[in-house]
Amino acid sequence: MLTTSLAPTKSWQQSTKSPLARQVDVSVSAARLGIYLWLDSAGFQRSTADREKRAQWLLDTLVKLGPTFIKIGQALSTRADLLPLEYVRALVKLQDQVPQFPSAQAIAIVEKELGGPISEFYKDFDPEPLAAASLGQVHRATLFSGEEVVVKVQRPGLQQLFDIDFQVLDKLVKFAKQRLRGLKNFDLEAIYQEFATILYREIDYVQEGMNADRFRQNFADHEYILVPKIYPDLTTKRVLTMEYMPGIKVNDRRSLEAIGINPKDVNHIGICAYMKQLLQDGYFQADPHPGNMAVRSDGKLIFYDFGMMAEVQAINKNQMVQTFFAVLRKDTDQVVQTMVEMGLVEPMSDMTPVRRIVKLLLEKFTDKPVEMQAFRSVRNELYAVFEEQPFRLPARLTFIIKALTTLDGVARDLDPQYNLLVAAKPFVKSLATTGIQNRGSGLGELARQAKSYVSYQIQKPNPAEAAINRLEQRLEDGELEIRVQALDTERSIRTLHLLVRSLMYACLTGFGALCGSILLVGHMTGGAVFAFVFAGVMGVCLLKAMVKLKLREQIDRIATGSF
């Protein structure tokens, strides 16, 4: 859970008292966002600086609107299929900048939920919270048995706030679906249901307790993974009591090294734990930020916070081994097939965009540690794919992307030169060497894949041949032809934008001059002067637009060779 500083009272804190005012706030913000996204898609004010300003506005607005929209913004931070790059980059920085609520309210909620005075359930209860976030805050306590626990208390009025916000969002989605035809490529109702399901599940602490129990059971035989015990008798929908299990923040490299823990070992444990969650269990923590993981003094990794969990279709050991070696061989088709089998990608008539993304990732990430500059370059290329061939990512895949990108940041803090595949090798080795019934088949599949990989390394073309092969593949896929067409189309679109802008300025100039004349005839001198000044400014803008249009025509003639 993220620790936050105290912040001034937000407008959302009064929303439950005035649902109409809340509806106005959300609707106005949504309309403004829609206008900004239209400007981005239409090409107006399309510079990076302009987009970054609009992205910063979105970030500030989500924080102002409160918990519902902070959580939606955090979920959108991996949705390159829904928002422009600058917006996604800004949302990555979104924090739970929400003040803690009074201790008296926290105690009152605990007593109401548990059905009696707090002294009947806890020997000691610290009124000062350990941490606070948008959905609740955590207090330390002691049971009468002497066990130390933490009590997670939901923020007052949160359920009511969610109900109001999602009623407003439901109306906006239905309005957009009926009136805004440009959004027909996005299944807004499905996206709305996706976010609503995620957030309502996260504020159900009984469900979170069940998630923690299931997660602990999955790692019952793993000595280096710890999960706090849940106390069901002291847990309700709004109160969660769990074992107090302190540790060093997982990305605090200096503190870990100070007590003799090798950060690389922590990386291996964390990466292998996630490989097990994703591939073997099909059940994983979707938000592994540093506040949700810690390292105990004996080097064991502790997982906290199980409100945001996700499921995927688990695959058998042979498929895992096949996929691991397919990644090493950069076998795009095999990796995509595994993603389809796991339900991460829905089969489409044209799988080209998915293959392009997977191929790009395999080429960039499998051979050596990736520097941050290269990582940013790859990320920009991925966004270019989304812009050229837009398609919506399945929800489960976005959860995995969110988990792995967050985990990647933690791993880099511990070891800037870490390599994902190297860190995951102990997990792959354990697949073939553990178990009794499937041990022979696991070893056999490992041997077959290893033999195939050795053959691949022997027959692998040299860099020059590989470059020629990639060029031939791009020609076969039609990517080069598409790029040439895109350049011609882009030139035409830019010219069209200048024409539209010129026409708009011409209309505003004429409108201002006409209004000024009418006002002058009516002896309204002040208004006439203002109208004529406005017409003059628009006239200057029209002149500039016409000059730019003329220059654009000359440049296009030179580029196309038509003089």
Side-chain angles (χ1 to χ4, degrees):
M1 183 172 289
L2 297 172
T3 303
T4 61
S5 58
L6 292 177
T9 301
K10 309 291 183 183
S11 62
W12 59 266
Q13 292 175 290
Q14 304 297 326
S15 62
T16 55
K17 299 179 181 179
S18 180
L20 180 60
R22 180 65 169 178
Q23 183 169 346
V24 171
D25 286 345
V26 174
S27 299
V28 169
S29 299
R32 188 171 175 181
L33 175 61
I35 293 172
Y36 286 162
L37 293 177
W38 177 82
L39 289 173
D40 291 325
S41 63
F44 298 107
Q45 296 179 324
R46 62 184 300 171
S47 70
T48 301
D50 289 327
R51 283 189 171 187
E52 288 177 348
K53 288 180 182 178
R54 294 195 282 270
Q56 185 59 46
W57 167 85
L58 176 60
L59 186 67
D60 296 338
T61 300
L62 293 176
V63 172
K64 180 181 177 181
L65 289 176
T68 311
F69 295 91
I70 289 174
K71 286 298 179 181
I72 290 176
Q74 290 172 343
L76 284 171
S77 65
T78 57
R79 299 307 297 267
D81 54 327
L82 300 179
L83 292 176
L85 171 61
E86 290 80 7
Y87 291 72
V88 175
R89 284 175 173 170
L91 292 178
V92 170
K93 307 172 186 176
L94 189 61
Q95 300 291 313
D96 288 3
Q97 298 172 345
V98 180
Q100 65 187 45
F101 54 91
S103 302
Q105 285 186 314
I107 293 174
I109 291 172
V110 173
E111 291 181 337
K112 180 179 179 181
E113 289 293 308
L114 297 183
I118 198 168
S119 58
E120 290 185 6
F121 306 102
Y122 304 100
K123 181 179 179 181
D124 294 305
F125 185 91
D126 188 351
E128 187 66 26
L130 288 174
S134 59
L135 302 186
Q137 62 191 34
V138 174
H139 294 260
R140 191 172 172 180
T142 305
L143 301 181
F144 288 100
S145 61
E147 296 172 275
E148 294 189 38
V149 298
V150 292
V151 183
K152 187 175 179 181
V153 185
Q154 193 174 109
R155 187 169 290 276
L158 190 64
Q159 175 80 46
Q160 187 177 356
L161 179 66
F162 271 32
D163 292 342
I164 293 172
D165 286 344
F166 279 105
Q167 286 176 10
V168 174
L169 289 173
D170 184 47
K171 293 178 182 178
L172 290 175
V173 166
K174 290 177 179 176
F175 173 83
K177 183 179 179 180
Q178 293 175 355
R179 305 294 179 88
L180 304 178
R181 298 184 181 275
L183 298 176
K184 63 182 180 180
N185 292 330
F186 298 100
D187 189 350
L188 291 181
E189 289 185 343
I191 295 172
Y192 163 79
Q193 290 296 335
E194 178 183 313
F195 287 137
T197 300
I198 293 169
L199 294 185
Y200 273 107
R201 188 181 299 163
E202 193 168 357
I203 63 172
D204 185 350
Y205 289 170
V206 172
Q207 181 63 51
E208 182 176 346
M210 295 169 62
N211 293 344
D213 288 338
R214 178 177 173 183
F215 192 89
R216 188 188 317 103
Q217 183 62 36
N218 288 343
F219 284 92
D221 298 329
H222 290 255
E223 60 176 331
Y224 286 99
I225 302 296
L226 299 175
V227 180
K229 181 176 66 173
I230 303 297
Y231 294 84
D233 294 339
L234 298 174
T235 295
T236 69
K237 192 172 182 179
R238 300 176 64 198
V239 173
L240 175 67
T241 303
M242 66 170 64
E243 178 183 3
Y244 178 56
M245 197 174 283
I248 299 171
K249 204 172 183 179
V250 71
N251 63 342
D252 189 349
R253 182 176 179 176
R254 291 185 178 179
S255 297
L256 293 174
E257 291 177 333
I259 62 173
I261 295 177
N262 188 343
K264 292 184 178 181
D265 293 338
V266 177
N267 259 353
H268 282 288
I269 295 171
I271 296 297
C272 290
Y274 258 86
M275 292 299 101
K276 180 182 184 301
Q277 293 175 52
L278 288 169
L279 300 177
Q280 194 169 351
D281 301 332
Y283 186 72
F284 65 98
Q285 186 190 56
D287 191 21
H289 64 74
N292 287 344
M293 293 186 291
V295 182
R296 208 167 68 172
S297 58
D298 56 2
K300 295 183 179 181
L301 186 63
I302 309 168
F303 282 88
Y304 307 117
D305 199 336
F306 303 93
M308 188 177 292
M309 305 295 292
E311 293 189 67
V312 294
Q313 181 63 46
I315 57 179
N316 61 43
K317 289 185 178 182
N318 286 353
Q319 286 177 300
M320 283 186 258
V321 174
Q322 290 171 7
T323 303
F324 181 79
F325 280 96
V327 170
L328 294 180
R329 293 195 307 270
K330 301 179 183 178
D331 187 344
T332 303
D333 290 336
Q334 176 66 50
V335 175
V336 171
Q337 180 61 34
T338 300
M339 294 173 70
V340 171
E341 291 174 356
M342 293 179 69
L344 303 181
V345 173
E346 296 177 4
M348 300 181 293
S349 57
D350 182 12
M351 296 290 288
T352 302
V354 178
R355 288 194 178 93
R356 284 184 62 188
I357 290 176
V358 172
K359 184 176 181 181
L360 178 64
L361 293 174
L362 293 178
E363 288 179 351
K364 296 291 186 179
F365 287 142
T366 54
D367 292 333
K368 58 184 178 180
V370 182
E371 298 178 355
M372 285 308 297
Q373 184 176 359
F375 186 81
R376 286 192 291 267
S377 174
V378 170
R379 183 176 57 186
N380 292 339
E381 290 183 61
L382 291 177
Y383 285 112
V385 173
F386 282 113
E387 290 181 356
E388 291 175 14
Q389 294 173 290
F391 62 98
R392 183 169 172 252
L393 292 172
R396 284 175 290 187
L397 184 56
T398 62
F399 288 146
I400 291 179
I401 292 174
K402 176 179 176 61
L404 292 183
T405 51
T406 306
L407 196 65
D408 177 83
V410 173
R412 289 181 187 280
D413 287 339
L414 293 173
D415 179 14
Q417 295 300 313
Y418 101 101
N419 181 281
L420 177 62
L421 291 178
V422 173
K425 282 181 179 179
F427 171 72
V428 178
K429 181 180 178 181
S430 70
L431 293 177
T433 57
T434 59
I436 300 175
Q437 295 179 349
N438 296 325
R439 182 168 183 173
S441 62
L443 286 171
E445 185 61 36
L446 181 62
R448 285 191 294 272
Q449 292 297 328
K451 180 180 178 181
S452 174
Y453 180 65
V454 170
S455 300
Y456 161 78
Q457 289 289 349
I458 294 174
Q459 299 172 6
K460 185 170 68 173
N462 59 47
E465 292 174 337
I468 294 173
N469 291 339
R470 283 196 298 270
L471 180 60
E472 291 177 348
Q473 185 63 47
R474 293 184 68 190
L475 286 169
E476 290 178 6
D477 293 340
E479 291 182 26
L480 296 182
E481 180 182 355
I482 290 172
R483 180 57 183 163
V484 173
Q485 292 174 351
L487 290 173
D488 292 337
T489 304
E490 187 176 350
R491 281 195 291 267
S492 300
I493 290 174
R494 287 178 180 174
T495 303
L496 180 60
H497 286 161
L498 286 174
L499 283 170
V500 172
R501 191 176 299 178
S502 300
L503 180 61
M504 180 182 69
Y505 289 141
C507 291
L508 292 174
T509 301
F511 177 74
L514 179 62
C515 289
S517 300
I518 294 173
L519 293 171
L520 192 61
V521 171
H523 303 291
M524 300 176 68
T525 308
V529 170
F530 177 80
F532 284 128
V533 170
F534 175 78
V537 173
M538 291 298 101
V540 172
C541 294
L542 172 61
L543 182 61
K544 288 182 178 180
M546 295 296 291
V547 171
K548 288 182 180 179
L549 182 61
K550 187 65 177 177
L551 290 174
R552 170 58 58 188
E553 290 177 352
Q554 294 293 333
I555 292 172
D556 288 347
R557 287 178 183 176
I558 294 173
T560 57
S562 56
F563 300 97

